[in-house]
Amino acid sequence: MLLRAVALLVFVLIALFAIRSLFRMLLVPTREADPTTGAERLARDPVCGTYVPRQIELSVRDEFFCSEECRSKFLNHTR
């Protein structure tokens, strides 16, 4: 009886660890970190307010955008 309880406890702990790892992979995107601090460098999109990585290709001057749509809105508004 005690052996079954220990086996069940080990199984539950392994299952919880696997579920937790799966949620981390799905909910937290992996991005490159700043090599000096270990933190990801983010910039705020001036159109919609979303924070995006500074390495993103969608940038104009010193502004970074989450999508082509936000970049187009910004360019049309500043002209």
Side-chain angles (χ1 to χ4, degrees):
M1 180 75 170
L2 182 61
L3 187 58
R4 284 186 185 176
V6 170
L8 180 61
L9 179 63
V10 169
F11 176 75
V12 169
L13 290 175
I14 291 171
L16 288 174
F17 179 76
I19 291 170
R20 183 176 164 200
S21 297
L22 179 64
F23 277 120
R24 280 188 181 173
M25 286 183 350
L26 294 175
L27 298 177
V28 179
T30 305
R31 296 191 177 132
E32 290 184 28
D34 183 352
T36 58
T37 64
E40 184 178 1
R41 298 187 61 187
L42 298 176
R44 188 169 185 268
D45 183 321
V47 177
C48 68
T50 303
Y51 285 90
V52 295
R54 288 187 174 267
Q55 296 90 348
I56 197 163
E57 297 282 330
L58 297 168
S59 61
V60 176
R61 298 182 289 263
D62 289 330
E63 303 289 348
F64 297 87
F65 303 93
C66 67
S67 67
E68 183 62 44
E69 180 182 350
C70 283
R71 187 172 92 168
S72 296
K73 285 181 182 178
F74 179 80
L75 290 174
N76 289 337
H77 187 273
T78 58
R79 289 182 183 168

